[in-house]
Amino acid sequence: MGGELKGKAGRELKILLPLLVVLVVAVIFIAQRAVRFFQGEKGIGYPLELHAVLEHESNVFGISFSPDGRYIASATGDDKISIWDWKNGRLVQQMDDPEYGSTYVYFSPDGKMLASRGNYRYVRFWDVESGDLIRTLEPYMAGDTNVKECDCPAADIAFSSDWTQMAYATGNNPISLWDLATDEVIKTFPTHPKGSNSIALSPDGKLLATVEWRSISIWDIETEEIVDTVRVSPTQSAFLVRFSPDGNTIITEHQGEYQLWDVKGLKRLMRTNDNWCSGSNQSLSMSGEMLAVTDLRDIHFWDTRSGELLYSIENAHWKMPRMFRFGENTEIWSVAFSPDGKYLASGGWDETVKIWRMPEENRGG
């Protein structure tokens, strides 16, 4: 009798087990879709709406809006650069870059050209309409005897607002300023022995901001002299520097803390009152009053006037419900405001670019 019951229970278990597996998979799928719908309808408790999702075939590293706001460019882990008509969800152009790979993309002011960088040695320029490669620059192979062949950290590049010049930094080599009409170095700026982590050009092209070790410096490009310098932290390295769209302030990041500085005199105007993940991405709306940062899991929005945290998007790129998430499949690698400040795009490890509609009261432009 006992053996008969055991046999019957075993047969039922064999039948129920596959059904249970199917049920679990279905719950995960439905929960994933429900999360996306809930984000779109409710902004997961915050006043943002998920406006669009662009599906990719690999994790998304860098993103950029075109100057007219019509297109979004994305660089992905499968060595592809994609250009999207994002309001229609249409892929309009895709370039393969298997030899070099790209993690950052930049539109030219007229929207006709796209620059990309990945490997620290190369900057590539593409025709947006045709997808053709226009040219490749190898900045630190420019023949400068002061430039050292080394296992350098990843480069940072910065363009002037008219794209006539490009600043380039890698490792502890001098920072070079390039004339993009001739592809020649026109100026160089010395850097800290430990190297420069980040650089930025002011919108008018007159100033160069650098982050070197624990300090930030402002250079006058014409005179090649330091105008101001300030130590960001007595103990921690700084990682990022960006000019606001109006050029009056700069944002710096070190160890997950963001600080806003007046360009004239480098007086600190604001600092975030919480620390997020170091090395996260940042973007300013066109009004310069909104700062969006990501701590790799969430997106946080700060008022740059008061330093107040306005709201957050939690788990903005999760791919599975929390209990099923492992490793890096939820990480956010980039954020970018649209030129009119009405939308924020974010790119993540979940192989998507998500476009969020900003609340009316917090839109730039």
Side-chain angles (χ1 to χ4, degrees), residues 58-61 277-279 281 294-299 315-320 325-335 346-354:
S58 184
N59 46 291
V60 179
F61 289 123
C277 178
S278 177
N281 296 282
T294 169
D295 60 3
L296 298 183
R297 292 291 190 269
D298 310 323
I299 304 172
N315 302 308
H317 280 258
W318 70 3
K319 199 171 185 178
M320 293 287 184
R325 292 191 330 222
F326 298 97
E328 300 174 321
N329 65 359
T330 64
E331 291 189 357
I332 307 165
W333 287 95
S334 53
V335 291
S346 58
W349 205 264
D350 65 341
E351 303 179 356
T352 69
V353 170
K354 294 184 176 181

Side-chain angles (χ1 to χ4, degrees), residues 52-104:
V53 178
L54 305 177
E55 300 282 354
H56 293 65
E57 295 181 355
S58 184
N59 46 291
V60 179
F61 289 123
I63 55 177
S64 177
F65 275 96
S66 62
D68 62 5
R70 180 180 178 183
Y71 299 112
I72 287 178
S74 57
T76 49
D78 54 359
D79 298 328
K80 295 183 184 298
I81 300 169
S82 304
I83 300 175
W84 301 81
D85 182 343
W86 63 272
K87 290 186 177 179
N88 298 313
R90 184 170 63 94
L91 180 64
V92 297
Q93 192 60 262
Q94 193 168 71
M95 294 85 87
D96 291 311
D97 196 18
E99 183 178 356
Y100 300 94
S102 295
T103 52
Y104 297 91

Side-chain angles (χ1 to χ4, degrees), residues 190-201:
T191 189
H192 191 278
K194 291 185 177 292
S196 180
N197 294 324
S198 183
I199 56 176
L201 285 173

Side-chain angles (χ1 to χ4, degrees), residues 103-104 117-121 151-157 168-171 196-198:
T103 52
Y104 297 91
R117 70 175 177 92
N119 185 306
Y120 64 86
R121 287 182 56 177
D151 184 18
C152 300
D156 193 13
I157 65 175
Y168 182 93
T170 181
S196 180
N197 294 324
S198 183

Side-chain angles (χ1 to χ4, degrees), residues 149-331:
E149 285 269 15
C150 64
D151 184 18
C152 300
D156 193 13
I157 65 175
F159 293 93
S160 59
S161 58
D162 59 3
W163 259 45
T164 58
Q165 297 178 343
M166 180 190 76
Y168 182 93
T170 181
N172 56 359
N173 288 314
I175 298 168
S176 54
L177 186 68
W178 289 69
D179 184 326
L180 291 181
T182 62
D183 288 350
E184 294 181 350
V185 176
I186 53 178
K187 292 179 184 290
T188 59
F189 301 85
T191 189
H192 191 278
K194 291 185 177 292
S196 180
N197 294 324
S198 183
I199 56 176
L201 285 173
S202 62
D204 62 9
K206 295 180 179 180
L207 300 176
L208 171 70
T210 64
V211 168
E212 299 171 343
W213 193 223
R214 297 168 182 167
S215 300
I216 55 174
S217 298
I218 304 292
W219 294 77
D220 184 303
I221 290 178
E222 184 177 355
T223 64
E224 300 178 43
E225 295 181 352
I226 292 180
V227 178
D228 284 298
T229 187
V230 66
R231 176 162 286 198
V232 176
S233 169
T235 58
Q236 304 292 340
S237 298
F239 289 101
L240 286 173
V241 61
R242 296 290 184 265
F243 275 94
S244 61
D246 61 13
N248 294 327
T249 57
I250 57 173
I251 285 282
T252 60
E253 182 271 343
H254 74 284
Q255 298 299 311
E257 179 183 72
Y258 290 81
Q259 301 184 53
L260 183 72
W261 306 82
D262 190 331
V263 169
K264 297 179 180 179
L266 287 181
K267 177 183 177 182
R268 188 170 62 200
L269 304 175
M270 181 277 290
R271 68 192 305 172
T272 56
N273 53 20
D274 287 290
N275 286 59
W276 308 104
C277 178
S278 177
S280 52
N281 296 282
Q282 60 185 26
S283 180
L284 284 171
S285 71
M286 293 301 291
S287 69
E289 296 173 354
M290 173 77 72
L291 172 68
V293 302
T294 169
D295 60 3
L296 298 183
R297 292 291 190 269
D298 310 323
I299 304 172
H300 307 284
F301 296 84
W302 298 85
D303 187 322
T304 58
R305 296 161 297 183
S306 65
E308 175 189 1
L309 177 63
L310 298 173
Y311 37 79
S312 301
I313 307 173
E314 297 178 348
N315 302 308
H317 280 258
W318 70 3
K319 199 171 185 178
M320 293 287 184
R322 183 180 295 274
M323 68 179 69
F324 298 104
R325 292 191 330 222
F326 298 97
E328 300 174 321
N329 65 359
T330 64
E331 291 189 357

Side-chain angles (χ1 to χ4, degrees), residues 47-49 290 311 341-342 357-364:
L48 280 88
E49 174 190 351
M290 173 77 72
Y311 37 79
K342 294 180 178 180
R357 191 194 304 272
M358 299 298 296
E360 289 284 350
E361 65 271 19
N362 292 120
R363 292 182 180 181

